[in-house]
C-alpha cells in the first residue's frame, strides 16, 4: 500500500488519543444509542471536556487553533469504527466555521466558546420537504418587520443533530422574489418562541443520529440573530457556496475510511469462514473481488489526501470537491455491497458491522448535494451546460 504522508507524528498521536476516547465513551454505548435513536447528551459534554470539539477554532474562541487535519483524523476514526451516530464533524467543521467566517464579533463571542465546550450542540437547517439539493428553492421566510425584527416561518427536514441542537443556523429567504440573492442565514436558539422540534426521523441507517424535523411558526428574532448582522442580509447563498468544498470533502473522507474498514472486516471474515471444506478467502472470486476493491479504495484515498492538502492551502475548488464526494461515495456503496455478498447470510444480520455499514452508506450519495448534482457541478466547470 502507498504510505500516507498527509499526517505528522502529532496527528497520529491525536489519532491514538481519540481512539482511546471512543473505546471508553462511545463503543460501550453505540448499540444502545441505535436502539433509542439518538446518542446521549453526555457524549457531547465529554468530547468538549477533552478538547475534541471545534479544535480548529482559534484559542480566543475556545478552540485549539489546530489545523483541519486533526478533524480529518477524527472523521476517519469515527467512520472506521462505524460510530455514525456521532455528529461532531457537522458541529465542529460546518456549524462553527460559518459563525467564525461570517459572524459578527458579538456572535463569535456568544456562541463559539459554547460550541467548543459542548454546552451547545450545533446544527444547520437547509433541507425542506420540497427543497433538498436545490437550495434556491427554499420556502422558509424571514421577513423584515417595521420594528427591525424578522418574522420567521417555515419548516426543515432531515436535520442532523436537530433533536439535540441548542443552536441552529437557519437558511431562509429575506427576499423571496430575489432568488439566491434573497437568501440569508439566521442563528436560532433552542427555546425561542415558535421554534419547535418535530419527531426524530426513523431512517434506513445512521440509526443513532438524531435526525429531526424543525418547525418555525412566527419566530420573532432581532437583527442580532442574522448571521453577520444586517450587512450580510441577502448574502447567505454566497456563504453556503463558499463552504461547500470542505463540507463535501468531509463526506468523501468518511466514505473512504468506512470503505477501508469494510474491506478489513471482510478480509478477516473470509479467512475464518469455511465453505466446502476451505476458507472463503481461498476462492479465486473472493480474492479477486477484494483485490479490485482494495485497488479502488487505495486510488480514492490518494485523491482524497491530495484534496486535503489543497484544502490546507485554500486551493480546493468546488468541482474537485464534488469529484471527491461523488466518486468516493459511489465507491463506498459498491464496496459495502460486495462485502455484504462475501459475508453471505451473515452480511444481512444487524449484529455484524458490515450490515450496519451497508445501511449507513446509502445516504452518502444523497446528502451534501446528490451525486447527480455533483456531476452537474463538474460538467459546468468544464464549460458544459444543459441549457
Amino acid at each position: 500500500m502507498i504510505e500516507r504522508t498527509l499526517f505528522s507524528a502529532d496527528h497520529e498521536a491525536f489519532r491514538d488519543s481519540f481512539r482511546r476516547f471512543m473505546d471508553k465513551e462511545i463503543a460501550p454505548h453505540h448499540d444502545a444509542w441505535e436502539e433509542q435513536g439518538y446518542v446521549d447528551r453526555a457524549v457531547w459534554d465529554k468530547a468538549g471536556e477533552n478538547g475534541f470539539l471545534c479544535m480548529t477554532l482559534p484559542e480566543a474562541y475556545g478552540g485549539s487553533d489546530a489545523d483541519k487535519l486533526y478533524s480529518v483524523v477524527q472523521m476517519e476514526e469515527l467512520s472506521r469504527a462505524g460510530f455514525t451516530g456521532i455528529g461532531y464533524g457537522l458541529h465542529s467543521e460546518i456549524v462553527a466555521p460559518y459563525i467564525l467566517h461570517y459572524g459578527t464579533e458579538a456572535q463569535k463571542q456568544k456562541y463559539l466558546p459554547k460550541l467548543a465546550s459542548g454546552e451547545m450542540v450545533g446544527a444547520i437547517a437547509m433541507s425542506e420537504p420540497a427543497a433538498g439539493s436545490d437550495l434556491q428553492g427554499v420556502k422558509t421566510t424571514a421577513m423584515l418587520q417595521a420594528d427591525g425584527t424578522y418574522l420567521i416561518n417555515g419548516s426543515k427536514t432531515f436535520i442532523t443533530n436537530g433533536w439535540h441542537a441548542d443552536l441552529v443556523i437557519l437558511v431562509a429567504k429575506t427576499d423571496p422574489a430575489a432568488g439566491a440573492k434573497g437568501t440569508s442565514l439566521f442563528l436560532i436558539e433552542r427555546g425561542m418562541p415558535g421554534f419547535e422540534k418535530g419527531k426524530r426521523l426513523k431512517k434506513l441507517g445512521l440509526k443513532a443520529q438524531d435526525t429531526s424535523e424543525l418547525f418555525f411558526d412566527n419566530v420573532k428574532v432581532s437583527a442580532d440573530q442574522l448571521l453577520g448582522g444586517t450587512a450580510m442580509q441577502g448574502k447567505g447563498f454566497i456563504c453556503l457556496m463558499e463552504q461547500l468544498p470542505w463540507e463535501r470533502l468531509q463526506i468523501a473522507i468518511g466514505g473512504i475510511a468506512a470503505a477501508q474498514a469494510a474491506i478489513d472486516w471482510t478480509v478477516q471474515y473470509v479467512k475464518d469462514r469455511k465453505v466446502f471444506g476451505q476458507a472463503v478467502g481461498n476462492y479465486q472470486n473472493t480474492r479477486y473481488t477484494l483485490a479490485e476493491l482494495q485497488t479502488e479504495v487505495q486510488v480514492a484515498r490518494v485523491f482524497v489526501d491530495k484534496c486535503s492538502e489543497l484544502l490546507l492551502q485554500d486551493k480546493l475548488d468546488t468541482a474537485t470537491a464534488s469529484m471527491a464526494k461523488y466518486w468516493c461515495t459511489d465507491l463506498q456503496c459498491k464496496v459495502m455491497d460486495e462485502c455484504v455478498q462475501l459475508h453471505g447470510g451473515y452480511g444481512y444480520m444487524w449484529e455484524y458491522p458490515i450490515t450496519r455499514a451497508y445501511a449507513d452508506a446509502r445516504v452518502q450519495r444523497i446528502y451534501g448535494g446528490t451525486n447527480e448534482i455533483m456531476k452537474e457541478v463538474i460538467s459546468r466547470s468544464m464549460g458544459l451546460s444543459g441549457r
Side-chain angles (χ1 to χ4, degrees):
M1 302 300 170
I2 297 174
E3 181 181 358
R4 301 181 76 185
T5 58
L6 185 63
F7 304 112
S8 69
D10 288 342
H11 294 124
E12 296 301 341
F14 171 77
R15 189 187 301 274
D16 292 340
S17 176
F18 189 66
R19 280 184 179 178
R20 290 192 296 271
F21 174 82
M22 292 195 307
D23 290 343
K24 180 181 179 182
E25 305 294 351
I26 299 176
H29 312 293
H30 203 267
D31 286 356
W33 293 340
E34 289 187 332
E35 290 293 328
Q36 71 182 15
Y38 58 95
V39 303
D40 289 344
R41 186 65 174 77
V43 79
W44 286 95
D45 299 327
K46 291 174 180 176
E49 291 168 8
N50 285 274
F52 291 138
L53 297 177
C54 303
M55 298 173 291
T56 57
L57 286 180
E59 292 182 5
Y61 300 122
S64 301
D65 208 18
D67 65 58
K68 283 187 172 63
L69 294 182
Y70 287 89
S71 293
V72 172
V73 168
Q74 188 180 78
M75 294 168 197
E76 287 186 346
E77 290 305 307
L78 288 168
S79 295
R80 177 191 61 81
F83 295 147
T84 53
I86 304 297
Y88 297 164
L90 181 139
H91 170 97
S92 299
E93 290 299 335
I94 295 180
V95 175
Y98 271 96
I99 300 173
L100 178 66
H101 293 141
Y102 308 114
T104 64
E105 185 58 33
Q107 290 168 345
K108 295 175 188 178
Q109 294 287 352
K110 181 178 181 180
Y111 294 118
L112 292 179
K114 292 180 180 179
L115 292 173
S117 69
E119 180 180 345
M120 277 187 150
V121 172
I124 185 165
M126 300 185 194
S127 295
E128 296 182 357
S133 295
D134 179 17
L135 292 177
Q136 295 190 53
V138 164
K139 301 300 183 184
T140 298
T141 58
M143 304 309 295
L144 182 62
Q145 305 298 296
D147 62 358
T149 62
Y150 292 85
L151 198 63
I152 300 174
N153 285 282
S155 64
K156 299 290 182 176
T157 194
F158 310 140
I159 306 305
T160 301
N161 294 347
W163 192 68
H164 271 311
D166 303 291
L167 178 66
V168 177
I169 296 179
L170 174 69
V171 180
K173 289 290 184 67
T174 43
D175 184 354
K181 294 181 179 179
T183 304
S184 302
L185 306 179
F186 287 84
L187 298 164
I188 307 300
E189 296 183 38
R190 177 195 291 270
M192 285 182 168
F195 172 36
E196 300 290 341
K197 298 178 180 182
K199 62 184 179 182
R200 294 189 304 277
L201 301 173
K202 294 183 178 180
K203 309 180 294 298
L204 168 67
L206 309 181
K207 293 185 180 296
Q209 191 182 93
D210 61 313
T211 312
S212 295
E213 299 171 316
L214 303 178
F215 300 98
F216 306 87
D217 183 12
N218 288 325
V219 179
K220 191 173 185 179
V221 299
S222 70
D224 291 339
Q225 300 307 120
L226 176 59
L227 183 64
T230 54
M232 291 298 291
Q233 180 173 315
K235 297 181 180 178
F237 194 78
I238 295 173
C239 298
L240 294 169
M241 294 301 102
E242 288 177 350
Q243 295 303 309
L244 278 176
W246 174 216
E247 293 171 25
R248 288 172 176 163
L249 179 58
Q250 291 177 51
I251 297 171
I253 289 165
I256 290 306
Q260 184 61 61
I263 291 172
D264 294 342
W265 299 330
T266 305
V267 167
Q268 188 58 54
Y269 178 83
V270 299
K271 287 179 179 179
D272 297 336
R273 175 69 170 163
K274 300 292 193 298
V275 176
F276 300 117
Q278 61 177 313
V280 174
N282 288 349
Y283 291 96
Q284 184 184 75
N285 178 70
T286 303
R287 292 184 287 112
Y288 284 14
T289 296
L290 286 169
E292 290 170 3
L293 295 178
Q294 184 61 79
T295 300
E296 291 183 67
V297 169
Q298 175 68 87
V299 171
R301 171 155 275 170
V302 171
F303 179 55
V304 169
D305 282 358
K306 180 61 179 179
C307 287
S308 296
E309 290 179 5
L310 293 173
L311 177 76
L312 294 179
Q313 300 165 11
D314 292 323
K315 294 180 179 179
L316 181 65
D317 60 75
T318 301
T320 304
S322 298
M323 292 175 189
K325 192 272 180 182
Y326 115 72
W327 181 262
C328 293
T329 57
D330 272 7
L331 177 57
Q332 178 186 5
C333 289
K334 174 184 176 180
V335 168
M336 298 307 170
D337 187 64
E338 295 280 13
C339 288
V340 164
Q341 190 71 18
L342 289 174
H343 275 75
Y346 290 105
Y348 205 66
M349 297 296 105
W350 194 253
E351 63 264 30
Y352 278 75
I354 190 60
T355 312
R356 301 181 187 200
Y358 176 89
D360 292 340
R362 187 59 185 85
V363 74
Q364 290 270 91
R365 292 162 58 191
I366 299 172
Y367 58 22
T370 65
N371 284 7
E372 290 74 22
I373 294 294
M374 298 303 98
K375 294 173 185 178
E376 186 69 27
V377 171
I378 296 163
S379 65
R380 287 182 181 180
S381 76
M382 300 165 66
L384 302 173
S385 175
R387 297 178 183 176

